[in-house]
Amino acid sequence: MSLELVVAAVMFTGVLAYAVLGGADFGSGFFDLTAGGDRAGAALRTRIDHSIGPVWEANHVWLIFVLVTWWSAFPTAFAAAMDALILPMLLALLGIVLRGSAFAFRKYAGTLGQARFFGVTFAGSSLVTPFFLGATAGAIASGRVSLDGREDVWSSWLTPTSVVGGVVAVGTCVFLAGCFLVADARRGGEEDLAETLRRRTLGVGLVTGLVVLAGLLPLRADAPTLWNGLTGRALPLVLAAFVAGLVTLGLLLVRRYALARLTAVVAVASVVSGWGVGQLPWLLVDEVTVADAAGATATLQGLLMAFGLAAVLVLPPLVYLLRLTQTEQWSRTAP
Amino acid sequence: MLATLAPFLTTLATDGGGAAAEPAGLLPARQQMALSLGWHIVLACFGVALPTIIAVVHWRGAFRGDQGALLLAKRWGKVSAVLFAIGAVSGTVLGFEMGLLWPGLMGTFGDVVGLAFAFEGLSFFVEAIFIGMYLYTWGRIDPRRQFWMLVPMAVSGISGTFFILSVNAWMNAPVGFDIVDGEIVNIDPWAVFTKDQVWMQFLHMWLAAFMVAGFAVAAVYAVGMLRGRRDRHHRLGFMVPFAFATVAALMQPFVGHLLGLRVAEMQPAKLAAFELALETESPSPLRLGGIVVDGEVVGSIDVPVLGSVIARNSFTEPVQGLDTIPPEDQPPVNVVHLAFQTMIGIGSLFVLVVLAFWGARWRGRDLLENRWFLRAVVACAPLSVVALQAGWIATEVGRQPWVVYGVMRTTEAAGDNSGLWWLLGATTIVYTAMTVGAVLVLRSMARRWRAGEEDLPSPYRPEPGDAEAEPAGAVSA
């Protein structure tokens, strides 16, 4: 593998990590929004708070990681994408800002009224953000970003592929969140809550599966390059996503939550990497390849060193934190 | 609130420069950057300094059995959870903005300064992981073990400051590339970290972070003492952050002075604007206050020779005058001069305040009994933020018209998207709302702590004690 490709692969690993870990945080917004009134929803909201509170900031950093790697390694492509996709990027950013701040504010809100307001803001913006990030991905995957010349800031992403990308992103986030929350609820000994979450997650899973399948249809005409990749090189990943999704639904049906968590991650990771592999060798589809977009070689080498350092300094504590939050002792005691 | 000062000042600033053929995205991008950076930098100070300050009280609590200190650590940890959250999101805004507002800068130099951002991102990653652990392990693990989670946070605060300041130092003194026929070649991404400039700027900002966070936390407990709450809790809550602010305030003038000496060689136009030197005078006077109106200095108090002494470390070396610099390369003089002197003035005041306290203590007097001293410390908190903003305005506006000094003008970095005005409007609204939200939440935290509630129960349902609440059985969890 060439140097550029290695850096691009690591960058895409960041996209994957953000989609899975950050995605599960965003998706919990759906369950928060649909938890019911103050009393009925209290248990679920407390569970969500407990579940994503310690990890959302760390999971959020994957986005920063992707952004920074992108502009350092592929600066011109970054500038072009920012230019063409300014609107969905900004709307996603707005969602990120509101989600993070409202979530932190709600935990320490002084009154129920404030908690309600911050809660709705948190939950709503949690769903807005993945939609626009998915739409951004859709625009890149369908060749809407060009290096020169300005695209219209609207038509670059108001396309079938972007809409599919957005909806699929929201669906997968919610599905993932459901799988994690249901497992959390059981570990915490809240079987009633787990039952409610199980039903909702099954529903979300079915709908998301159908959306992903139906979403493939418009790609053939709207994003031919991606379509060729998905039905060619990336086909095994598409099939893996499908199988893992079905297995997850089955595991939820028989209440094997701990396992369902893992297969859900496999399903979502397969969907996302299907996109990545499907659009290779393009960085911006039909416009510039990974190899051509690369910036200075010295910087790429430096980035590899930074990745190595991250693997040593960041991954062990991150894994420790994520494991800690998935233990029974952690789930049982509310702080 | 105070951050809104920054865009106002840059508006003034942009009037001074040549108004020739500016891209439509320039002015809104400047305002946007000033607002979002001015807002974020305040929170960044807490992100950098608070873990270290908390570490001291946590250490006392965990290893010396001081329960009062441990309580402070727990409370400050909760405050930092709120501040870090909005700091994290406002930092993300800046990450996006680098590309959205300055496509010319990032498209051209993204790979020259990229590593610095990458390492800064790494630092932030470490901090985000450990704050999650620290906050959520209270009551779950031994406080002595928990203490060690603060250490990576404090270290990543240092490294994060260093790496982000290395980008700014690079903008002031670009290195690590050559320009051949208009192309950027021979890129050396490591050169960004090796200049002395980086170390000086890092130290300046790192100390500033401790001044802002130290005075802010100390001020909270000073208010408490002014309202008659003079227990040990308040004294300890005051003393620890005040000690940090003291060290930072006493070191800052030396670091600032050394940094200033470099400006004379690196960016003579900036120094001329700092010192309001329209012409080269040998020796140069120190101009206190004053503005330039129609090419004349009005309303300044001139102290002979002192300008040379302070800016050049010499009795004869002059401050190079603005008249030696082509008009198209001059920064807006008045804003830079006033911002610079505001920073210096406030910094000097801080030295007096901390010296007064420790001097009195040395002579056996406790100024915490003195209401005027407490009021002065309360005033130091907003003043430190003003000084912080003024310092950034001085150095950033002082570098104009360049974004990368001597290499790229700010006009070349901006895009031509006039729609950015909408972004500025939306950002102003969102940041105002976030400020209100943070103040509201922090105040209610303090109120509930005073009322004796330590654990701050989950607010998602009516409180158990509420008259209208259902019987406890109705609520699971």
Side-chain angles (χ1 to χ4, degrees):
Chain A
M1 254 209 292
S2 62
L3 180 62
E4 310 86 80
L5 216 55
V6 173
V7 172
V10 179
M11 181 169 115
F12 195 75
T13 311
V15 174
L16 265 183
Y18 187 57
V20 171
L21 300 168
D25 296 343
F26 282 120
S28 61
F30 170 81
F31 296 97
D32 203 282
L33 210 55
T34 55
D38 300 326
R39 285 187 191 90
L44 180 51
R45 294 200 173 97
T46 307
R47 173 57 55 196
I48 288 169
D49 190 85
H50 193 53
S51 184
I52 75 173
V55 294
W56 74 267
E57 276 181 287
N59 292 341
H60 166 76
V61 187
W62 287 109
L63 176 68
I64 315 269
F65 170 86
V66 172
L67 279 181
V68 169
T69 309
W70 192 2
W71 84 47
S72 311
F74 311 102
T76 43
F78 173 77
M82 280 293 183
D83 202 32
L85 300 175
I86 184 167
L87 285 178
M89 292 264 196
L90 284 178
L91 290 168
L93 184 61
L94 177 68
I96 288 169
V97 168
L98 292 180
R99 191 279 298 246
S101 50
F103 179 71
F105 291 163
R106 178 174 79 166
K107 184 170 173 57
Y108 299 111
T111 66
L112 190 62
Q114 283 176 20
R116 257 187 222 134
F117 175 75
F118 292 136
V120 169
T121 310
F122 150 70
S125 53
S126 289
L127 295 180
V128 165
T129 310
F131 178 83
F132 288 110
L133 289 175
T136 303
I140 292 170
S142 57
R144 268 20 188 249
V145 180
S146 68
L147 279 187
D148 45 7
R150 287 185 58 82
E151 293 80 2
D152 182 69
V153 292
W154 294 99
S155 65
S156 58
W157 62 286
L158 288 178
T159 64
T161 312
S162 277
V163 173
V164 168
V167 175
V168 167
V170 175
T172 49
C173 286
V174 175
F175 183 54
L176 260 180
C179 293
F180 275 99
L181 286 172
V182 75
D184 275 1
R186 163 168 299 167
R187 271 200 318 277
E190 297 175 293
E191 277 299 335
D192 290 353
L193 184 60
E195 217 29 58
T196 315
L197 281 165
R198 168 177 167 270
R199 274 198 307 278
R200 283 182 200 169
T201 308
L202 275 171
V204 168
L206 277 175
V207 172
T208 305
L210 292 176
V211 166
V212 171
L213 284 178
L216 288 172
L217 297 178
L219 295 191
R220 185 170 193 165
D222 194 55
T225 308
L226 178 67
W227 171 261
N228 286 336
L230 286 176
T231 52
R233 201 180 323 109
L235 192 60
L237 287 166
V238 176
L239 294 176
F242 187 65
V243 172
L246 278 182
V247 172
T248 311
L249 290 179
L251 288 169
L252 284 174
L253 268 177
V254 299
R255 301 189 172 78
R256 296 288 300 274
Y257 303 143
L259 264 184
R261 216 172 30 169
L262 298 179
T263 53
V265 168
V266 173
V268 173
S270 303
V271 171
V272 179
S273 30
W275 156 48
V277 173
Q279 73 160 56
L280 277 177
W282 300 107
L283 183 68
L284 302 175
V285 168
D286 299 337
E287 186 64 25
V288 62
T289 61
V290 169
D292 292 339
T297 307
T299 305
L300 296 183
Q301 287 163 345
L303 279 173
L304 280 190
M305 288 194 58
F307 297 153
L309 213 60
V312 177
L313 292 179
V314 173
L315 283 189
L318 183 64
V319 170
Y320 177 69
L321 173 68
L322 293 176
R323 279 180 58 101
L324 204 63
T325 56
Q326 298 289 313
T327 58
E328 182 159 342
Q329 183 209 1
W330 184 288
S331 302
R332 280 200 180 271
T333 47
Chain B
M1 281 174 302
L2 282 159
T4 52
L5 208 69
F8 170 69
L9 286 170
T10 32
T11 316
L12 293 175
T14 44
D15 295 340
E22 290 185 347
L26 178 67
L27 190 55
R30 275 192 161 142
Q31 310 287 357
Q32 175 77 17
M33 203 67 192
L35 169 63
S36 46
L37 198 54
W39 203 84
H40 176 72
I41 192 72
V42 179
L43 293 158
C45 287
F46 287 93
V48 166
L50 215 47
T52 310
I53 299 176
I54 294 175
V56 169
V57 281
H58 193 112
W59 182 81
R60 276 185 74 109
F63 294 98
R64 295 286 178 85
D66 183 342
Q67 288 306 312
L70 206 57
L71 182 68
L72 281 173
K74 191 172 182 180
R75 288 182 178 180
W76 292 351
K78 284 182 177 166
V79 170
S80 70
V82 173
L83 296 178
F84 284 20
I86 52 180
V89 296
S90 59
T92 309
V93 171
L94 288 170
F96 274 86
E97 283 179 354
M98 292 305 287
L100 291 173
L101 304 180
W102 312 110
L105 175 67
M106 294 320 281
T108 315
F109 293 108
D111 46 359
V112 181
V113 290
L115 272 195
F117 283 112
F119 285 117
E120 196 272 338
L122 225 114
S123 310
F124 176 45
F125 221 145
V126 171
E127 184 152 12
I129 292 169
F130 281 95
I131 182 139
M133 273 192 228
Y134 179 72
L135 290 175
Y136 281 77
T137 44
W138 279 103
R140 288 204 174 86
I141 66 170
D142 185 338
R144 276 173 297 190
R145 241 180 88 201
Q146 205 187 8
F147 168 81
W148 297 104
M149 293 172 183
L150 287 164
V151 176
M153 285 168 69
V155 173
S156 57
I158 294 174
S159 59
T161 311
F162 176 83
F163 290 121
I164 212 68
L165 264 294
S166 68
V167 177
N168 190 261
W170 174 85
M171 290 161 77
N172 280 324
V175 286
F177 62 94
D178 294 315
I179 299 178
V180 178
D181 301 330
E183 293 281 308
I184 311 292
V185 293
N186 298 334
I187 290 174
D188 173 12
W190 301 96
V192 174
F193 309 124
T194 52
K195 298 276 276 198
D196 293 349
Q197 178 73 17
V198 182
W199 288 100
M200 302 307 296
Q201 279 197 229
F202 152 71
L203 214 55
H204 197 46
M205 182 62 223
W206 194 53
L207 292 175
F210 277 93
M211 290 161 79
V212 169
F215 280 126
V217 180
V220 170
Y221 293 90
V223 169
M225 285 189 264
L226 278 170
R227 292 183 182 162
R229 293 188 283 273
R230 293 182 167 276
D231 45 9
R232 175 170 185 278
H233 177 78
H234 279 81
R235 288 189 70 92
L236 189 64
F238 177 91
M239 286 305 285
V240 173
F242 188 76
F244 275 103
T246 299
V247 176
L250 292 180
M251 281 173 71
Q252 195 67 293
F254 295 101
V255 176
H257 177 61
L258 292 175
L259 205 51
L261 291 178
R262 309 178 62 85
V263 178
E265 289 147 36
M266 272 180 15
Q267 296 180 10
K270 186 187 272 184
L271 184 67
F274 279 175
E275 303 292 337
L276 214 60
L278 300 186
E279 289 147 18
T280 311
E281 292 174 63
S282 178
S284 307
L286 178 66
R287 280 215 165 101
L288 292 173
I291 51 168
V292 176
V293 180
D294 299 328
E296 299 284 328
V297 176
V298 181
S300 75
I301 303 166
D302 289 7
V303 185
V305 192
L306 205 53
S308 283
V309 172
I310 292 177
R312 304 300 315 269
N313 247 9
S314 155
F315 288 106
T316 50
E317 290 279 330
V319 171
Q320 191 182 332
L322 271 178
D323 56 350
T324 62
I325 290 149
E328 69 271 18
D329 291 346
Q330 292 182 7
V333 182
N334 287 336
V335 172
V336 177
H337 172 68
L338 291 178
F340 180 71
Q341 293 209 327
T342 303
M343 173 189 74
I344 305 266
I346 293 174
S348 311
L349 191 74
F350 289 162
V351 172
L352 293 181
V353 169
V354 299
L355 282 183
F357 177 81
W358 296 103
R361 196 178 153 98
W362 183 56
R363 301 186 59 180
R365 273 195 57 205
D366 184 6
L367 282 189
L368 292 186
E369 304 295 329
N370 184 310
R371 297 185 68 82
W372 282 106
F373 173 75
L374 290 175
R375 285 186 191 118
V377 174
V378 173
C380 283
L383 282 176
S384 70
V385 175
V386 172
L388 176 78
Q389 305 286 0
W392 276 106
I393 290 168
T395 183
E396 288 298 286
V397 180
R399 195 189 56 242
Q400 303 302 322
W402 306 100
V403 63
V404 181
Y405 186 74
V407 178
M408 180 181 265
R409 285 169 191 273
T410 314
T411 47
E412 300 169 83
D416 48 11
N417 190 346
S418 60
L420 291 178
W421 285 110
W422 288 101
L423 175 63
L424 180 64
T427 312
T428 310
I429 294 168
V430 172
Y431 276 36
T432 308
M434 266 206 294
T435 311
V436 171
V439 170
L440 212 67
V441 168
L442 292 175
R443 283 179 64 110
S444 92
M445 277 164 107
R447 196 172 51 241
R448 287 190 284 164
W449 279 329
R450 277 201 301 279
E453 277 182 69
E454 210 44 60
D455 286 329
L456 305 186
S458 156
Y460 312 142
R461 56 178 180 264
E463 287 173 29
D466 267 6
E468 18 167 78
E470 299 257 306
V475 185
S476 66

